Amino acid sequence: VTRAAPASEPGAVAEVRRLLRAAGYTQAGIQAAVGTSGEQLAVRAERPVYVRRLRDDGPLATLIRLFILDLPLEEDEAERALGTAALRALETLRLVRRAGSALQGAVRLVPHDDLLIASDPPADESHVDHVPGMHRPSAQLAHLTVRSPVRDTLDVGTGSGIQALLAARHSERVVAVDVNERALAFAELNAALNEAGNVELVSGSYLEPVRGQTFDLVVANPPYAISPESEYLFRDSGLGRDRVSQELVREVPSVLAEGGFATVMVSWAHDSDEAVPSPVAWLEGAEVDAIVLHTGTEDALTTAAAWNRDKVGDEEAYGEAIDRWLRYYEAEGIAALAYGSVVMRRRSGANWVRPLPLPLRPVGPAGAGLLRLFRNRDFLEGLGEDDGLLDARLRVTEGAVIERRAHRTGSAWADTEASLRLGEGLRFSASLDPMAMGLVLALDGERSVGAVLAALAEESGLDSAQVRASGLPLLRGMLEAGFVEPARAQRDEE
Ligand SMILES: C[S@@+](CC[C@H](N)C(=O)[O-])C[C@H]1O[C@@H](n2cnc3c(N)ncnc32)[C@H](O)[C@@H]1O
């Protein structure tokens, strides 16, 4: 360990927990105090505004100054606001450091729902062992994790420990691995602060320390940037191209127990005319069923700029970094870079792999939606030909939303557009033509698909073979995206 990392002394942790609780150091409390909202608790550039909004010197404002706004504070000021015992506890845990007569927060401390996560302050980013807080891919992984109660969970590249702590709530035991000793220190502190006694922290590289063991759930948000550097452990794997994503996708199945799920955040070098995402090929022969969610593709310049945003204040350094990355992409023949998440389930038997575009980020927990996609795909695999669908009883997924737009023409309203979208989690949506709309409205989970299609043909006066020929593939697509499901599956859930 080259730089200071937090300690986890139990007495001091209990004191700090009491302090934070009593001060109302929660997401809502902090947002109200600095007048911000949304997923980003505080944007650094807005610091002058936040400071002016903090009206008093009470404990909450003092904690916000130290751990969110990264502002120095006179020691006696801090002591008056927080009390001597609490201040000593913060020092014991190395959460504050002295700078002359002033105190400075040594960590960023952010509540995420009811979890408290300590990480390195973003301003300190320029160190190889920087431990980032919860960022966009962390939230995406958290949403795309299947959250059934399980025995053993593995978190690969735990960093601050956020994924491990989320999993600790529905796992008997969580093993969290990282090569960065500072990350392990942060994860240990965060486990203690959040009273998660079932997280085991293990030092080592990726799956190496757990070979030979199996887990019911595996989550991994590895340093998947396709990068020419080894500048940051959290960003650069140092393995070149998309090897880290590829190796994890290929190897995670070997530590998954039968029936266990895994979600791995990935990136891959993308050919513009690529028909299916590369992770589909990586999974060839693997003993898992998998859904490859492709969240987006960016050109080389956009990617190089995005991964070097930490240098944005220094135009020359920023420009040089972008050029270095662009030269690397050019030498490697990489014009575009794709991002996504691979969700797998270990199952012996004939396996399937499905690519699915996921253009909108999930806005909430999508584990139940993912389970539905797996169930629906299993159901389709079991049917064989389209005709097998005719006897099925399907219904629209709970919480789905239909949106219709009508235009006034003459003295009447004409429906011009309609769409169906999933209410939360996986935000898939699809436009509905009149035929699809008729089907969606008619699927009641009681009548068979055959009966629904026959009734639609009769109502519309269309040829019944034609309605069947267009209706069956449509329903198959709706099952694949989770808009509909077998009525039985939904009853089982209830
Ligand atoms: C993008 S961060 C993810 C942190 C956290 N899991 C999250 O979701 O916010 C990647 C993490 O992988 C860790 N890491 C990098 N190389 C590793 C390796 N060879 N083995 C294990 N972990 C590694 C980094 O230290 C970092 O904590």
Side-chain angles (χ1 to χ4, degrees):
V1 179
T2 51
R3 284 200 297 146
S8 302
E9 197 273 309
V13 168
E15 182 66 40
V16 168
R17 204 185 304 119
R18 262 197 302 277
L19 166 71
L20 298 169
R21 230 174 249 162
Y25 196 78
T26 61
Q27 202 163 322
I30 296 168
Q31 285 178 338
V34 298
T36 180
S37 63
E39 67 175 53
Q40 198 105 37
L41 199 55
V43 183
R44 200 180 163 79
E46 296 303 318
R47 205 161 63 169
V49 181
Y50 300 144
V51 172
R52 283 159 182 77
R53 233 177 233 133
L54 286 178
R55 281 193 218 98
D56 58 50
D57 302 325
L60 179 59
T62 302
L63 291 167
I64 292 174
R65 286 192 180 94
L66 284 172
F67 298 124
I68 301 276
L69 302 182
D70 201 10
L71 289 166
L73 214 68
E74 284 307 312
E75 185 169 351
D76 55 350
E77 235 183 306
E79 193 159 353
R80 237 188 343 266
L82 307 177
T84 311
L87 192 56
R88 294 293 156 262
L90 288 174
E91 282 180 309
T92 304
L93 299 183
R94 294 194 278 276
L95 303 187
V96 291
R97 63 170 165 245
R98 278 164 205 280
S101 68
L103 277 184
Q104 185 104 30
V107 301
R108 190 175 164 90
L109 192 57
V110 179
H112 295 284
D113 296 329
D114 52 351
L115 284 179
L116 270 166
I117 300 296
S119 63
D120 274 324
D124 278 0
E125 188 167 316
S126 56
H127 297 274
V128 67
D129 55 5
H130 179 80
V131 179
M134 181 129 178
H135 47 294
R136 204 179 262 193
S138 329
Q140 171 120 335
L141 173 55
H143 291 330
L144 292 175
T145 297
V146 171
R147 302 231 174 256
S148 314
V150 290
R151 207 173 67 186
D152 298 305
T153 290
L154 172 67
D155 176 16
V156 184
T158 195
S160 66
I162 175 75
Q163 312 296 338
L165 292 176
L166 290 169
R169 296 166 161 180
H170 57 99
S171 312
E172 282 177 29
R173 157 184 179 253
V174 179
V175 175
V177 176
D178 211 296
V179 271
N180 181 354
E181 297 296 333
R182 292 188 74 248
L184 293 171
F186 273 99
E188 188 180 351
L189 168 70
N190 288 331
L193 271 178
N194 293 288
E195 297 179 274
N198 56 346
V199 178
E200 289 169 29
L201 296 160
V202 177
S203 171
S205 186
Y206 303 121
L207 304 180
E208 238 169 63
V210 296
R211 291 247 182 254
Q213 298 178 45
T214 57
F215 298 85
D216 310 298
L217 174 67
V218 177
V219 288
N221 177 12
Y224 58 72
I226 300 182
S227 138
E229 325 263 13
S230 296
E231 194 178 0
Y232 300 125
L233 281 165
F234 75 86
R235 185 192 67 185
D236 312 310
S237 71
L239 296 176
R241 292 190 67 102
D242 48 21
R243 247 184 75 197
V244 70
S245 299
Q246 193 171 153
E247 286 184 4
L248 274 175
V249 167
R250 286 187 200 276
E251 290 176 19
V252 160
S254 69
V255 294
L256 261 187
E258 180 74 10
F261 280 88
T263 305
V264 182
M265 304 295 287
V266 294
S267 166
W268 64 94
H270 188 86
D271 264 341
S272 50
D273 51 1
E274 200 168 278
V276 289
S278 301
V280 173
W282 301 342
L283 284 161
E284 216 178 290
E287 288 176 25
V288 290
D289 302 313
I291 296 174
V292 176
L293 297 163
H294 178 187
T295 42
T297 299
E298 286 174 346
D299 65 27
L301 176 55
T302 309
T303 306
W307 286 115
N308 286 288
R309 194 130 297 145
D310 57 304
K311 301 185 177 62
V312 92
D314 180 343
E315 205 165 309
E316 204 179 319
Y318 187 35
E320 278 170 9
I322 290 176
D323 284 342
R324 212 164 44 243
W325 285 52
L326 287 179
R327 277 196 301 275
Y328 172 73
Y329 291 148
E330 199 175 336
E332 292 287 332
I334 300 173
L337 300 98
Y339 297 92
S341 308
V342 178
V343 187
M344 12 178 156
R345 175 189 60 185
R346 176 135 190 155
R347 184 174 62 84
S348 47
N351 293 113
W352 51 262
V353 179
R354 287 288 303 163
L356 266 181
L358 184 70
L360 298 175
R361 279 185 298 133
V363 283
L370 286 169
L371 277 178
R372 181 174 301 114
L373 296 187
F374 275 87
R375 266 199 317 262
N376 284 3
R377 183 70 202 179
D378 289 342
F379 169 77
L380 285 169
E381 292 282 320
L383 284 182
E385 293 304 305
D386 270 353
D387 275 1
L389 251 186
L390 287 171
D391 294 330
R393 282 163 176 73
L394 301 181
R395 60 190 254 183
V396 177
T397 302
E398 183 70 24
V401 175
I402 288 178
E403 281 171 340
R404 301 171 101 152
R405 188 186 288 255
H407 281 207
R408 187 77 173 167
T409 41
S411 56
W413 289 99
D415 271 351
T416 47
E417 279 168 45
S419 64
L420 177 66
R421 65 178 169 82
L422 293 178
E424 54 179 28
L426 297 168
R427 292 190 293 160
F428 291 138
S429 71
S431 61
L432 293 175
D433 63 16
M435 159 84 185
M437 175 67 93
L439 248 182
V440 168
L441 295 178
L443 289 176
D444 54 9
E446 300 295 331
R447 289 177 295 169
S448 69
V449 165
V452 167
L453 291 175
L456 275 182
E458 202 171 312
E459 275 166 35
S460 59
L462 291 171
D463 174 55
S464 63
Q466 207 183 330
V467 170
R468 204 183 267 202
S470 50
L472 288 176
L474 195 64
L475 284 172
R476 198 171 258 276
M478 285 191 191
L479 278 160
E480 296 270 14
F483 291 121
V484 301
E485 62 185 348
R488 193 172 25 83
Q490 196 150 10
R491 285 211 195 96
D492 290 350
E493 228 173 60
E494 289 161 6

